Amino acid sequence: MPGIAPAAKQQGRYAASAIKARLKGKTLPPFRYRHAGSLAQIGNRLAVIDFGRIRLRGALAWWIWGIATSIS
């Protein structure tokens, strides 16, 4: 698993669910990381986006990166 915040957030949710399940005498399937995609600014008005099938780079990706980071 990558050492990034989305992985840690998913692991935290899984750990909480696993604790609740064990208290009820149940088990959960093994943890599986689900990659939601990557956004990265790589320069002045340049970025890269990778959502699997959708990959962009350059100024358009930078605009999308800016919108996405301002929302979250």
Side-chain angles (χ1 to χ4, degrees), residues 23-63:
L23 290 173
K24 294 178 182 178
K26 300 177 182 178
T27 59
L28 293 180
F31 174 77
R32 291 192 64 186
Y33 172 70
R34 289 179 177 81
H35 182 62
S38 298
L39 298 167
Q41 182 178 8
I42 58 171
N44 187 20
R45 297 187 183 220
L46 297 172
V48 292
I49 294 175
D50 182 1
F51 291 130
R53 291 184 180 195
I54 299 171
R55 292 183 178 177
L56 299 171
R57 60 182 170 182
L60 177 60
W62 181 79
W63 281 100

